[in-house]
Amino acid sequence: YFNPNTDSGVISAFRAVNCEQSQYVLKVKGVDPNHYYTVRDVDGYNSVQRIKGSALMQGFPVQTKSARTALILYIEPVA
């Protein structure tokens, strides 16, 4: 979910029990391609301090540590 009024959003992703793939590329929609954002993983594993919106739109690589795990990523504009 991305809220254009606040220029921020959240992504939740799940890795199923039988899924062997640990890396994914998430393409974020709704971000401003010219703004910079931070991506904060609640576990700290996939956090990024500064990334341009256009890079998020093209694809942001994330990894899960193991099967049956979830990611919660907060996307916020850089002040």
Side-chain angles (χ1 to χ4, degrees):
Y1 171 75
F2 195 83
N3 184 339
N5 294 327
T6 62
D7 201 25
S8 61
V10 64
I11 295 172
S12 59
F14 303 91
R15 181 175 169 192
V17 66
N18 295 325
C19 181
E20 295 185 19
Q21 183 178 352
S22 64
Q23 185 169 353
Y24 305 90
V25 176
L26 301 176
K27 294 183 178 182
V28 182
K29 295 181 180 179
V31 295
D32 186 314
N34 297 312
H35 288 182
Y36 284 89
Y37 297 89
T38 59
V39 177
R40 184 173 51 88
D41 183 342
V42 294
D43 293 329
Y45 192 62
N46 292 287
S47 295
V48 175
Q49 295 298 316
R50 184 177 165 102
I51 186 168
K52 196 165 185 181
S54 59
L56 289 171
M57 295 170 81
Q58 291 173 1
F60 172 64
V62 295
Q63 286 189 310
T64 55
K65 296 179 183 178
S66 61
R68 297 182 65 186
T69 57
L71 298 175
I72 300 174
L73 306 169
Y74 292 99
I75 301 170
E76 300 169 325
V78 173

